[in-house]
Amino acid sequence: MKKVAFICVHNSCRSQIAQALGRHLAGEVFESYSAGSQVKDQINPDALRLMKDLYGIDMAKDQYPKTVAQIPDPDLAISMGCYGTCPLSSRGFDEDWQLEDPTGKDDQAFKGVIQEIEDRILDLKARLQGDLDK
């Protein structure tokens, strides 16, 4: 099973949401990880609240901010939209999703980003499932 890493600078919001939705929506197709370089001490509280409200996912239960060095080497590395400041060792990114950081914005902005991440996770799942079916 492929390992997919969702990478951003602080590993507190978008990448954490992608890890949670990857596990929730595509866990049978790929393993999801998230990481950053300048990790915050906690996951964004708005992300925690909205993911629990929208999906029943308690990210605080088994997710925490971590660095790239703390996750397995990924088969696919996806930048969440760090615009050149994303951390990743010697390998480059396979995709850059260029998602706006909703931190400090209202719930509507968060929900828009969460929906975009869901759509991209489902697209990635379909692409990787297609590779498995070959």
Side-chain angles (χ1 to χ4, degrees), residues 108-126:
Q108 200 59 32
F110 261 91
K111 288 177 180 178
V113 170
I114 291 169
Q115 183 61 58
E116 191 166 348
I117 292 171
E118 177 181 334
D119 293 345
R120 290 174 183 256
I121 291 288
L122 292 173
D123 175 67
L124 181 61
K125 176 184 177 181

Side-chain angles (χ1 to χ4, degrees), residues 38-72:
Q38 304 165 12
V39 296
K40 298 276 186 172
D41 58 352
Q42 66 181 11
I43 298 173
N44 181 299
D46 291 320
L48 290 172
R49 176 179 52 81
L50 288 168
M51 288 298 289
K52 191 156 192 166
D53 289 351
L54 295 171
Y55 300 93
I57 298 172
D58 184 0
M59 293 194 308
K61 184 178 175 185
D62 63 356
Q63 287 182 227
Y64 58 93
K66 56 206 150 312
T67 64
V68 173
Q70 293 174 285
I71 64 170

Side-chain angles (χ1 to χ4, degrees), residues 7-10 35-38 67-68 82 84-89 91 93:
I7 313 291
C8 64
V9 175
H10 296 122
S37 62
Q38 304 165 12
T67 64
V68 173
C82 315
T85 61
C86 279
L88 198 59
S89 57
R91 89 189 290 300
F93 288 101

